[in-house]
């Protein structure tokens, strides 16, 4: 499909660069601007100096009325039901000038989803789902709960993000259903797993859906000499090394403890230091160049997630030529295949340990194909081109 240059796209996101979902939004924003389009962002929290980004709550008056409204609805456990500034977006000059509006994560106490009918009547809107919140009563990930398929209520995960004090999930689910029934949306998901779930949702199944995988900057996330990367990070050379960069590592710790000759575990990010395996702590890494060194230093990245839309870390890892071991569930299965690593049976600790052992023994065989697949399927340039094609489709259907 031929696409035109000069689209004007407005993104609405909880942040411009704080967190994985925000980083995805910001990469698309930068890619559009670099490709001859105009991209702007309205955000709840601004952390960059980008002049094409500003806060939704433009002044103290908006912030004051939002706080007052939020306090009332939070006491009723009606999450994100009414922030006046969300409705004010319809009068924002950036919104009025946009050809297309792209929504990112709407949860995070900065935006009211009840504004969607107002906004989607005025501009074509696409919504990128990075978790399950859009079609559950409140949780970002439903884990083993299937109540979202029928109406929620009696939620077993009230304390999960975004947490509730009382079980209002049935009311919240019905509120979303009423809002979506009056909205015009095209839904974007990053993985086959998310596509299957979104299509099964009684709330979202009425909308057109598109799968567009996340991308990474393959000129930043690229293979580096392993010995050099380890020297820069102060890691021992010539020893098997597993990298982990999430917060909950109890399943991985158990799998490593069951191995006859456990490798060294390198931890990047927050979280507790395990007691049963030898660990090198790299700390929180905010610089992508240093993160690329960490991937290159490792023989394998462990991604034993129990739920994810499409974990960015696995894509970054294979772009650096480092294979991954993951469970056979979630969006990560789009990235971790027999060509790029090992899929362990979900929740099976012994199979997770087996996968780590197999990939550690053969990690050099995986490296070239990991990089090739990242370049073929998961670049930012490809991601942006796919978004532009979708914007064109949405505009043509108006």
């Amino acid at each position: 499909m031929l696409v035109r240059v000069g689209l004007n796209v407005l993104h609405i996101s909880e942040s411009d660069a704080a967190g994985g979902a925000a980083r995805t939004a910001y990469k698309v924003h930068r890619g559009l601007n670099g490709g001859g389009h105009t991209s702007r962002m309205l955000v709840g929290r601004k952390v960059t100096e980008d002049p094409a980004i500003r806060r939704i709550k433009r002044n103290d008056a908006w912030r004051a009325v939002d706080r007052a409204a939020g306090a009332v609805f939070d006491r009723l456990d009606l999450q994100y039901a009414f922030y006046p500034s969300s409705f004010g977006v319809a009068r924002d000059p950036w919104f009025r000038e946009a050809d297309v509006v792209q929504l990112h994560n709407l949860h995070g106490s900065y935006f009211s989803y009840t504004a969607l009918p107002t906004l989607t009547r005025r501009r074509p809107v696409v919504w990128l789902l990075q978790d399950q919140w859009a079609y559950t009563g409140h949780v970002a990930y439903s884990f083993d709960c299937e109540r979202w398929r029928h109406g929620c209520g009696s939620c077993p995960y009230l304390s999960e993000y975004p947490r509730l004090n009382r079980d209002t999930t049935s009311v919240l689910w019905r509120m979303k259903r009423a809002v979506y029934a009056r909205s015009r949306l095209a839904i974007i998901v990053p993985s086959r797993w998310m596509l299957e779930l979104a299509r099964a949702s009684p709330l979202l199944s009425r909308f057109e859906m598109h799968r567009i995988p996340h991308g990474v900057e393959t000129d930043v996330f690229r293979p580096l000499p392993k010995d050099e990367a380890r020297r820069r990070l102060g890691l021992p050379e010539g020893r098997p090394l597993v990298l982990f960069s999430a917060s909950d590592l109890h399943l991985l710790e158990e799998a490593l403890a069951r191995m006859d000759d456990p490798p060294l575990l390198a931890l990047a990010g927050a979280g507790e230091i395990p007691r049963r395996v030898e660990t090198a702590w790299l700390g929180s890494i905010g610089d992508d160049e240093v993160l690329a060194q960490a991937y290159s230093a490792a023989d394998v990245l462990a991604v034993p997630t129990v739920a994810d839309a499409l974990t960015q870390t696995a894509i970054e890892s294979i772009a650096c030529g480092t294979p991954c071991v993951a469970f056979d569930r979630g969006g990560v299965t789009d990235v971790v295949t027999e060509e790029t690593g090992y899929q362990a049976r979900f929740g099976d600790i012994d199979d997770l340990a087996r996968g780590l052992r197999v990939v550690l023994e053969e990690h050099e065989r995986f490296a070239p194909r990991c990089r090739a697949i990242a370049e073929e399927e998961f670049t930012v340039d490809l991601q942006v081109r796919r978004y532009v094609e979708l914007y064109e489709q949405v505009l043509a259907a108006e």
Side-chain angles (χ1 to χ4, degrees), residues 205-234:
S205 58
R206 61 190 296 267
F207 298 118
E208 183 180 346
M209 297 190 185
H210 307 264
R211 182 178 73 90
I212 301 179
H214 295 329
V216 299
E217 295 170 323
T218 50
D219 57 337
V220 175
F221 293 98
R222 65 194 189 281
L224 302 170
K226 191 176 299 295
D227 290 348
E228 178 185 338
R230 291 195 182 190
R231 283 195 297 271
R232 290 184 182 181
L233 295 172

Side-chain angles (χ1 to χ4, degrees), residues 258-273:
R258 294 184 187 185
M259 297 174 69
D260 293 335
D261 187 15
L264 179 66
L265 174 63
L267 283 181
E272 295 183 4
I273 302 297

Side-chain angles (χ1 to χ4, degrees), residues 276-346:
R276 304 174 61 189
V277 295
E278 187 177 353
T279 305
W281 188 53
L282 302 178
S284 296
I285 301 177
D287 184 276
D288 284 348
E289 294 282 358
V290 178
L291 191 54
Q293 293 173 21
Y295 291 124
S296 295
D299 298 308
V300 59
L301 173 73
V303 202
T305 60
V306 296
D308 73 278
L310 180 61
T311 176
Q312 194 82 4
T313 56
I315 304 174
E316 293 169 347
S317 184
I318 68 168
C320 294
T322 301
C324 307
V325 173
F327 286 130
D328 59 356
R329 179 178 295 187
V332 71
T333 57
D334 281 11
V335 183
V336 183
T337 67
E338 61 183 12
E339 293 185 280
T340 59
Y342 186 98
Q343 287 185 18
R345 289 184 297 274
F346 181 70

Side-chain angles (χ1 to χ4, degrees), residues 53-128:
I53 300 173
R54 59 176 170 75
R55 295 182 63 182
I56 288 179
K57 304 170 186 182
R58 288 179 284 169
N59 53 46
D60 290 339
W62 278 123
R63 287 189 281 274
V65 296
D66 276 7
R67 278 197 301 270
V72 171
F73 285 93
D74 284 349
R75 281 197 295 271
L76 298 172
D77 276 297
L78 297 178
Q79 283 179 332
Y80 321 136
F82 183 62
Y83 295 119
S85 64
S86 302
F87 293 83
V89 168
R91 297 191 297 273
D92 191 292
W94 284 5
F95 179 86
R96 292 179 173 181
E97 294 167 8
D99 296 312
V100 178
V101 175
Q102 177 161 345
L103 309 175
H104 297 269
N105 274 7
L106 296 187
H107 49 81
S109 299
Y110 83 104
F111 188 86
S112 172
Y113 63 91
T114 55
L116 290 179
T118 299
L119 301 181
T120 61
R121 282 196 301 268
R122 288 166 170 77
R123 287 293 181 274
V125 177
V126 300
W127 188 3
L128 170 60

